[in-house]
Amino acid sequence: MQLGIVTLFPAMFAAVTEYGISGRAVRSGLMNLELFNPRDYTTDKHRSVDDKPFGGGPGMLMKTEPLMASIAAARRAVETKHAAGADNSESKGTKVIYLSPQGKTLKQDSIIDLAQRESMVLLCGRYQGIDNRVLESEIDEEWSLGDFVISGGELAAMTLIDAMTRFQPGALGDEGSALEDSFSNGLLHSPEYTRPQSINGQGVPEVLLSGDHEAIRKWRLKQSLGATWLKRPDLLQAMSLENEQEELLEQFKQDYLRD
Ligand code: 9WO
């Protein structure tokens, strides 16, 4: 996947390019990030990247000319990269995405869809954001992590990159499959335990030590359904359960109400 990233703080992206699963995906060439700093596209002596809003008031907006120039450069770079040698019909599909609280809320399903794309440009806003005309002419999609404000789009862009990386074929290696993570079956994960077998007198559920794989599968599914029922009943509401799941959840509720 080719990613063009427009940001005033390119150094922040070391968090995804150098660490963990995303770091490995970048080193192996599975994810290719190219950073574009509007400051490098300024033409004035002071290299200004912010400007006053018309109508006054506190706060600043991103300065338009360097912003537009850096978006154009990012788009050009990712399009030439992934169209290299081939016909470029696919490259015309490169979307410019703005991370903002006004966007559509990202869900695991949207991450899976976005992760299939060959390229995209991520625009990280700072200050109070961007001029509305730039929004309307340059931005194809607006996505949000949720209903809260942070100081800029970078952490949101990195969150999106990390989540998409997990769906690149080969990115997870030994860590398993992104399709087995929480949410991929619409349920929360069941509790997990590691050594030691006792912590301050608290043991590990017997079934996990039994070696009975079918019993373990059932127990985990039951716990998964139970955890979802207790912590995220809204997720269960939106699902239709199979017979086995219905029965295991019923058992969980009985156990829970008895204890
Ligand atoms: C800042 C500000 C200051 C004074 C008055 C109004 C103001 N609004 C903002 C503002 O919304 N700043 C944003 C900062 C501009 C776009 C980038 N920023 C951002 C992205 N904050 N939060 C996000 C974000 C992105 C994705 N998911 C959740 C939050």
Side-chain angles (χ1 to χ4, degrees), residues 69-177:
S70 52
I71 295 171
R75 198 198 285 272
R76 215 164 29 240
V78 296
E79 287 186 353
T80 50
K81 274 254 168 71
H82 99 246
D87 81 76
N88 65 352
S89 59
E90 188 86 56
S91 72
K92 294 277 186 275
T94 301
K95 298 270 169 70
V96 179
I97 293 178
Y98 186 45
L99 287 311
S100 95
Q102 282 83 41
K104 187 166 158 36
T105 306
L106 284 163
K107 297 281 186 291
Q108 191 73 339
D109 287 347
S110 22
I111 299 289
I112 293 171
D113 288 347
L114 290 164
Q116 312 306 313
R117 300 184 185 180
E118 291 187 40
S119 68
M120 65 183 66
V121 170
L122 302 178
L123 170 56
C124 307
R126 279 276 154 177
Y127 316 119
Q128 284 191 52
I130 65 180
D131 184 289
N132 198 58
R133 294 162 298 179
V134 178
L135 188 66
E136 289 184 343
S137 64
E138 302 300 324
I139 305 302
D140 299 302
E141 297 176 13
E142 228 177 328
W143 289 99
S144 168
L145 299 185
D147 294 339
F148 53 88
V149 177
I150 50 184
S151 305
E154 285 81 5
L155 289 170
M158 284 190 268
T159 303
L160 171 59
I161 293 166
D162 183 290
M164 291 192 300
T165 299
R166 306 175 59 75
F167 289 97
Q168 303 304 312
L172 290 189
D174 273 355
E175 285 97 333
S177 160

